Amino acid sequence: MNVLAVTVNLAGVAANRMGRFSRHAVKRVLRLWSSGQKGFAPAARAARRAVTDTRALPLRLNRAAIRARKRTARFREHAVEPWLEQRKVESQLVALAQGHEPILVGPWLSEVGYEVLYWRPFLRWMVDRYRISPDRLIAVSRGGVGHWYHGIAGRYVELLDLVGADEFAARNAARHASGDQKQFSPGEFDADIVERIATRFLKGRTPHLCHPSLMFRLFRRFWFGDRSLDFFLQHMRFERMVSTVGDLEGLPPRFAAVKFYTGPAIPDTPDRRRVLRGLVSRVADEMPVVVLDTGLSLDDHRDFLFDGLPNVIRLPERLMPATNLTVQTKVIAGAALFLGTCGSLAWLAPMLGTPTIGVYADDRFLAPHLFVARHAYRLMNAALFTTIDLAAVDALDLVPELTDATAYRGRTVQ
Amino acid sequence: MNSLTWQRFDSLARQTKRRVFAGTRRSVKIARNRTSDAVVQSTGFLRKAVRRLRNIRKPLVRWRYRIHRVHEQWGTYRDEWRVEREIERVVSGTAPIIVGPWLSEVGYEVLYWVPFVRWVKAAFRIDPERLFVVSRGGVGSWYADITSNYTDIFDEIGLAEFSVRNIERSDREGTNKQFGLSELDRMLVDRIRMRRGLDDVKVLHPSLMYRLFKSFWSGHRPLDFLDSHTRHARLVAPKFDLRALALPDEYVAVKFYVARSLPDILANRALLHTLVDAIAERWPVVLLDTGLDLDDHADYTFQHGGRIMTTRAHLDARTNLGAQTQIIAGARAFVGTCGSLAWLAPMLGVNSTAVFTDARFLHSHLHAARRLFHVLGGGRFSPLDLSALDPLGLTLASRQVVLGQAQPLP
C-alpha cells in the first residue's frame, strides 16, 4: 500500500470537499444576501423616505402654518370682520329705534349719487325693518332735497339754511382733506351741525343720530366685493321717487337734460371734451338740450359746458345753493331724456321715470354701482337706464368729427 | 171696598210687588249692564285679538323669511363644501386627471373654467403632467400655462356627431351648462383614456365649476368668492398657419352671434350692419364667422367684400377657436356680441367692445369682467349697450352710409 498515494488521494478528496463546501457556503451567503436585499429594500426605501420626510418636516410644517395663517387671516378679513361690522351697525340701529326721541338722519355731506342710490333706500329699509315712525326722523341734507325723503322722514332741515354756502364748501373741503369724501365716521363738522339743529329746532335736546357712517360701514365690504348682492339687497328698500314736475318756466315742452362733470368716471381731456360735445350735439339734433349748469362751488367736480352748440340752452334762472338740487330734480323729472356723467344725478333720473344714459370713460370705480343700479332699477320698475363707454364710442368712431371742442369752463358745481 | 181700603190694598200690593220684583229687577239691570259690558268687552277683546293677530303676521312672515333665508344660505354653503370635497377627492393621489371635457359655451370656458382649473392646479400643487385637458376647436393655447397635454374632442368624434349629441345633452339636461356628467362626457372620457393609454383616471369635470359658481351668479356669494377660486392670467395666441386667410396688416376682428343679450330682431340686424359698415370705413374688418353649426348661437351674417372679409371658408371645426384666437390676438381691436370671444380678447391684450341690447343675463358676468380686466391689465373691455345709442342716433355715425334713423323717445 502506497501510503503516500493514499495520503494524496485523501488530501484531494478533502480539498474537493472543502472547495465544494466553500462554494456552497458562498452561494448560500450570496443567495441569502440577495434575498435579504429584496426583502429589506422596501423597508430601506421607507426608512430613507422617513429620514427625508423627517428632515423636510419642519419646512412642511412651516409651509402648512403659513398657509393656515393666510387662510385664517383671509377668513377673518373677508368673513368675520364684515359680519362683526354688520352686527355692530345693526345693534346701533336697534338702539336708535328704541324710545320716542327724535332721530336726526344725516347730516348728508358727501356725493349726491350715494345719497340717492344707497342712503335713501337704506333709510327706507331701516324705517320699515325697525318700525320707526317717520315722525321721529329729521332728514338733514343740502340743496333742498326734502322731497327725496318723502315717506321716510317727517321733517327736513336744509343744511345751507344753517351754514352758508361758502362755509359749507370750505368745511366740507377740509373734511375731505382730512379723510375721505365718504362719511365713514362722524366728524367735527357733523357734530357742529347736530348742535346747531338741536339748538334751533329741538330746544337744546340732543337727538339720536343716524349718521351716514352706519350705511357706509355696512356697505363698504360690498363695494370691495366681500359681501354678496343678496346681503346688500336685504338691507335696502328700493322705491321710485315721487315725481316733482313743477312749473318749468322758460323750458321747451320736450327736451333732454344734460349734466356732464369731471371726475374719475370722465377725466378731463381734449378728446373727452370732443366726444362729449359730439354726443350733446347729436342729442340737440333730435330735441332741445337743457344743460344743468348750477354755477355753484360746493365740491370738487367741474362742469363740462357746451356753449355755442345750436339747440343747447342753459337753465333760465340762476340757482340758489339751498334749492339747486330741487330745481335740477324738477328739470330732470320733466325731461324726455337725461344724459350725463355716470354718477350723481344719473342715478336719480331713472327713479324719476326719465330714461337715462350714463356716460363714462373709466369704469374702475363704477363697477359695483353699475351692478347695484341695474338691480335697483329692475326692483323699483324705474325708467330705462343704459350706459355708454366713451372708449367704445371713440374706438368705433361713433361720434362724427366736430370742430371747436374747447367749450369748457372749469367751474365747481354740485 | 171703600177707597181707603182700596188704597191700602193697592199700596200693599205695590209693596209686595216691589219686594218680590225688586231683587229681580236689580238682577235684570245688573245682568243687562253686565251683558252690555260683556259685549263691549268681548268686542274690545276681539278687536284687540284681531289687531294682535294682524300684527303677529308680520313677525311670523319675517321669521319664516329669515328661516327660509338661513336654510337657503346653509344649502349654498353645504353645496360648496360638497364640491370642494369632491375636488379634493379628484386631485388626491397620483392618478392622471382628465380636465373636462368642455362641451358648453366659450364664454364660460374663458371667463370661469380656465381660471378655475388654473386655481385648482395652483391650490393643490398638481403636477402638470397629471392633467389632460379635453376641449374643442384647438384651444390648447388657452391651457398652455396649465398643461401641455391637450386633446381635442374633434379628434375623437366628428363635427356632426358632436353637434347632434351635444344638442341632445342640452335638451335632456334642460341647459347647455354642464351641471352633471352626461353620456357624451363618459364616452369622451373613455375614448381619451384609451387613446392616451391611461389606466386609472380621475375626472375634473366642468360640473364642479358650474356648481361652485352658481351661487355667485345668483347673487348669493360675493365677487371675492369668485376671486378666491380662480386665477386669471394673460393668454398667449397659438401659432396656426393662417397664410391662406391673407389677413391685412391692421384690422378689426368682428364676431356677432345671436344671443339673449343680442337677440336676432330686425332692429338689431340693422344696427349691427350699420356698425360693421361704419367700422369698415376706418379699418379693414375680419368677420369671425365660422359657418359651423356647433350650438344654438348662430352667427350674424354680413355682406363681405371690399374692406370686409370673412374667415368662413378657412376655418375647420378642429382648429376654429384656436384660429379665431390667433386672429383676435393680431387685431387692432375686437368688436362682438357681449359673451364668448369678447371676454377672451382683453386676455390677449386686445381692446374689446362687447355689444348687447339686453343686459338682464349679463349682470354678474359684466360685474366679474369689469373687475377682472382692470386687475389683469390686458386689453380694455368696453361694454356697449346699443339701446343707449339708439336715442342718440350714434350708431349711425358712419360718414357715408346712414341706414337707420334715431328713434324718437316714447
Side-chain angles (χ1 to χ4, degrees):
Chain A
M1 198 161 114
N2 189 347
V3 176
L4 185 64
V6 170
T7 308
V8 169
N9 279 342
L10 283 173
V13 168
N16 278 343
R17 288 271 167 96
M18 282 296 287
R20 205 184 301 156
F21 175 77
S22 60
R23 278 199 304 276
H24 278 277
V26 168
K27 270 185 187 173
R28 273 181 193 165
V29 168
L30 284 176
R31 207 179 299 141
L32 193 68
W33 174 248
S34 76
S35 69
Q37 254 191 336
K38 274 179 195 166
F40 285 108
R45 269 203 300 273
R48 273 199 300 275
R49 207 182 304 137
V51 170
T52 317
D53 284 355
T54 313
R55 273 187 197 160
L57 189 64
L59 192 67
R60 285 175 64 188
L61 281 175
N62 187 35
R63 273 186 195 157
I66 289 170
R67 206 179 310 136
R69 205 171 54 220
K70 275 184 183 170
R71 280 182 185 170
T72 312
R74 188 178 171 77
F75 184 72
R76 195 181 59 234
E77 190 186 332
H78 294 268
V80 178
E81 282 176 8
W83 184 78
L84 287 175
E85 189 70 65
Q86 180 193 342
R87 297 300 305 162
K88 220 181 281 177
V89 169
E90 284 179 351
S91 59
Q92 275 179 270
L93 291 176
V94 168
L96 270 179
Q98 284 166 356
H100 300 281
E101 290 294 310
I103 302 170
L104 204 148
V105 172
W108 187 264
L109 304 173
S110 41
E111 298 103 315
V112 172
Y114 280 88
E115 188 172 10
V116 288
L117 197 58
Y118 298 107
W119 181 234
R120 192 176 158 274
F122 169 76
L123 291 178
R124 167 70 69 190
W125 166 80
M126 184 188 83
V127 166
D128 193 27
R129 169 70 182 79
Y130 297 101
R131 298 181 186 194
I132 304 171
S133 165
D135 296 336
R136 287 181 63 199
L137 265 59
I138 304 168
V140 186
S141 189
R142 77 276 156 268
V145 296
H147 58 282
W148 290 2
Y149 295 91
H150 176 76
I152 299 170
R155 200 165 163 190
Y156 173 75
V157 173
E158 173 56 47
L159 257 176
L160 296 173
D161 289 341
L162 294 173
V163 187
D166 291 339
E167 186 192 348
F168 175 82
R171 295 191 68 174
N172 213 13
R175 188 182 64 80
H176 294 184
S178 64
D180 199 304
Q181 184 158 9
K182 319 279 172 290
Q183 295 171 268
F184 283 112
S185 59
E188 206 178 291
F189 190 26
D190 300 89
D192 188 23
I193 291 165
V194 172
E195 200 180 311
R196 289 190 201 194
I197 290 171
T199 313
R200 192 185 286 192
F201 301 103
L202 302 171
K203 296 174 186 166
R205 275 190 306 162
T206 308
H208 287 306
L209 182 64
C210 177
H211 191 259
S213 59
L214 291 172
M215 185 272 291
F216 280 113
R217 278 161 50 202
L218 192 64
F219 297 138
R220 181 167 50 179
R221 297 290 184 165
F222 168 74
W223 295 317
F224 289 160
D226 292 339
R227 300 306 300 255
S228 66
L229 179 72
D230 194 35
F231 161 81
F232 175 78
L233 294 178
Q234 278 165 21
H235 293 83
M236 286 282 180
R237 290 276 183 284
F238 289 106
E239 278 181 5
R240 276 182 73 155
M241 211 175 271
V242 181
S243 184
T244 52
V245 189
D247 49 334
L248 300 170
E249 278 178 28
L251 295 180
R254 185 169 179 271
F255 63 92
V258 165
K259 188 177 181 78
F260 282 108
Y261 58 88
T262 61
I266 307 185
D268 180 23
T269 65
D271 273 350
R272 302 277 176 251
R273 290 184 208 173
R274 179 185 63 77
V275 178
L276 290 182
R277 201 167 161 79
L279 281 177
V280 175
S281 161
R282 274 275 161 182
V283 180
D285 288 347
E286 294 293 318
M287 63 181 107
V289 167
V290 176
V291 178
L292 299 176
D293 166 30
T294 61
L296 300 170
S297 305
L298 294 173
D299 61 18
D300 54 356
H301 296 308
R302 291 180 297 167
D303 267 353
F304 287 101
L305 300 177
F306 303 96
D307 292 344
L309 282 179
N311 216 15
V312 175
I313 57 171
R314 289 218 230 144
L315 285 175
E317 56 182 292
R318 189 172 169 76
L319 298 180
M320 301 305 292
T323 56
N324 81 86
L325 283 170
T326 309
V327 175
Q328 291 186 77
T329 307
K330 276 184 185 171
V331 174
I332 292 169
L337 172 74
F338 178 82
L339 177 71
T341 302
C342 195
S344 183
L345 295 175
W347 304 128
L348 171 74
M351 298 180 191
L352 296 166
T354 306
T356 301
I357 301 172
V359 181
Y360 62 85
D362 186 352
D363 61 0
R364 192 178 299 267
F365 303 109
L366 280 176
H369 310 311
L370 284 169
F371 188 46
V372 164
R374 291 192 188 282
H375 282 281
Y377 298 146
R378 182 178 52 80
L379 289 172
M380 66 170 78
N381 199 19
L384 175 82
F385 174 79
T386 52
T387 54
I388 292 182
D389 184 346
L390 286 183
V393 171
D394 215 16
L396 302 179
D397 197 26
L398 295 173
V399 178
E401 293 293 333
L402 285 172
T403 53
D404 186 22
T406 54
Y408 160 80
R409 258 191 278 152
R411 183 189 278 173
T412 312
V413 295
Q414 179 136 18
Chain B
M1 269 198 299
N2 60 21
S3 62
L4 188 65
T5 314
W6 173 249
Q7 274 177 1
R8 277 188 185 159
F9 177 75
D10 185 48
S11 161
L12 188 69
R14 279 174 191 274
Q15 277 174 9
T16 311
K17 186 187 152 196
R18 260 202 297 276
R19 270 183 205 140
V20 170
F21 289 106
T24 314
R25 259 210 305 272
R26 199 167 57 245
S27 303
V28 167
K29 195 178 172 185
I30 289 167
R32 202 168 51 218
N33 286 344
R34 279 186 183 169
T35 312
S36 152
D37 284 354
V39 168
V40 170
Q41 277 176 3
S42 58
T43 313
F45 175 76
L46 274 173
R47 269 192 200 144
K48 207 181 282 177
V50 167
R51 210 179 306 133
R52 286 268 164 89
L53 277 173
R54 265 190 205 156
N55 285 345
I56 210 166
R57 197 180 151 268
K58 264 193 178 178
L60 280 177
V61 167
R62 201 178 300 140
W63 271 105
R64 203 177 61 190
Y65 175 67
R66 275 182 198 164
I67 290 166
H68 174 73
R69 214 170 57 204
V70 168
H71 184 72
E72 209 176 67
Q73 280 174 348
W74 169 244
T76 305
Y77 284 114
R78 199 184 47 203
D79 288 349
E80 279 171 22
W81 293 333
R82 199 175 289 159
V83 170
E84 283 172 359
R85 278 201 302 274
E86 279 180 49
I87 294 171
E88 278 169 18
R89 268 202 297 276
V90 169
V91 301
S92 63
T94 53
I97 301 168
I98 288 186
V99 178
W102 186 265
L103 307 171
S104 45
E105 294 107 317
V106 172
Y108 280 87
E109 184 174 13
V110 170
L111 201 56
Y112 301 108
W113 175 240
V114 178
F116 170 76
V117 174
R118 200 177 282 126
W119 168 76
V120 170
K121 187 196 154 199
F124 296 96
R125 299 177 185 194
I126 305 170
D127 180 3
E129 291 306 311
R130 280 182 70 200
L131 299 171
F132 293 85
V133 170
V134 183
S135 189
R136 73 286 140 278
V139 296
S141 65
W142 297 355
Y143 299 89
D145 62 329
I146 298 170
T147 180
S148 55
N149 300 325
Y150 171 78
T151 305
D152 205 280
I153 289 173
F154 293 126
D155 287 343
E156 302 302 325
I157 55 171
L159 169 64
E161 188 189 352
F162 172 78
S163 190
V164 169
R165 296 191 69 164
N166 203 21
I167 289 168
E168 274 175 12
R169 177 191 66 82
S170 304
D171 290 346
R172 202 173 302 123
E173 292 174 4
T175 172
N176 195 17
K177 321 268 176 291
Q178 292 171 270
F179 279 104
L181 199 71
S182 68
E183 279 301 311
L184 180 56
D185 292 296
R186 282 196 193 93
M187 187 267 276
L188 286 168
V189 167
D190 278 347
R191 288 196 186 179
I192 286 152
R193 192 173 52 81
M194 285 162 72
R195 174 191 278 258
R196 291 270 186 178
L198 307 170
D199 290 334
D200 179 27
V201 293
K202 292 182 173 178
V203 180
L204 187 71
H205 191 257
S207 60
L208 294 169
M209 183 278 289
Y210 276 115
R211 283 161 53 204
L212 194 65
F213 294 158
K214 190 174 62 174
S215 55
F216 165 72
W217 296 320
S218 62
H220 292 303
R221 298 291 268 145
L223 201 53
D224 173 64
F225 174 75
L226 186 72
D227 282 349
S228 59
H229 290 85
T230 49
R231 293 272 189 286
H232 285 93
R234 296 275 296 269
L235 300 179
V236 181
K239 288 187 172 59
F240 290 106
D241 184 7
L242 299 178
R243 278 175 297 182
L245 281 169
L247 293 170
D249 291 338
E250 196 177 35
Y251 58 88
V252 173
V254 171
K255 187 178 181 76
F256 285 113
Y257 61 88
V258 178
R260 283 191 293 190
S261 58
L262 194 62
D264 186 14
I265 54 172
L266 212 59
N268 284 352
R269 279 193 208 178
L271 283 169
L272 294 179
H273 275 94
T274 316
L275 189 63
V276 172
D277 285 341
I279 298 166
E281 281 177 24
R282 299 271 322 255
W283 302 284
V285 167
V286 176
L287 296 173
L288 300 174
D289 55 343
T290 60
L292 302 169
D293 189 19
L294 284 168
D295 53 23
D296 53 352
H297 297 302
D299 286 333
Y300 280 101
T301 50
F302 301 92
Q303 283 261 321
H304 52 269
R307 286 163 70 83
I308 302 176
M309 62 176 291
T310 175
T311 55
R312 181 176 279 253
H314 305 279
L315 297 181
D316 66 276
R318 205 183 156 278
T319 57
N320 81 89
L321 282 170
Q324 289 181 74
T325 305
Q326 193 174 333
I327 294 168
I328 291 170
R332 178 195 162 86
F334 174 84
V335 183
T337 303
C338 189
S340 180
L341 298 176
W343 309 124
L344 175 72
M347 297 181 191
L348 294 163
V350 175
N351 293 342
S352 171
T353 303
V355 178
F356 59 90
T357 56
D358 185 352
R360 261 180 303 169
F361 305 102
L362 289 173
H363 292 326
S364 49
H365 308 311
L366 279 173
H367 188 41
R370 277 195 170 104
R371 170 132 133 184
L372 152 71
F373 294 132
H374 279 303
V375 174
L376 198 60
R380 192 190 158 102
F381 178 75
S382 312
L384 180 67
D385 187 347
L386 284 186
S387 60
L389 300 184
D390 206 22
L392 307 180
L394 282 182
T395 19
L396 319 169
S398 164
R399 288 184 186 78
Q400 292 158 13
V401 191
V402 178
L403 291 179
Q405 293 298 318
Q407 299 298 309
L409 284 160

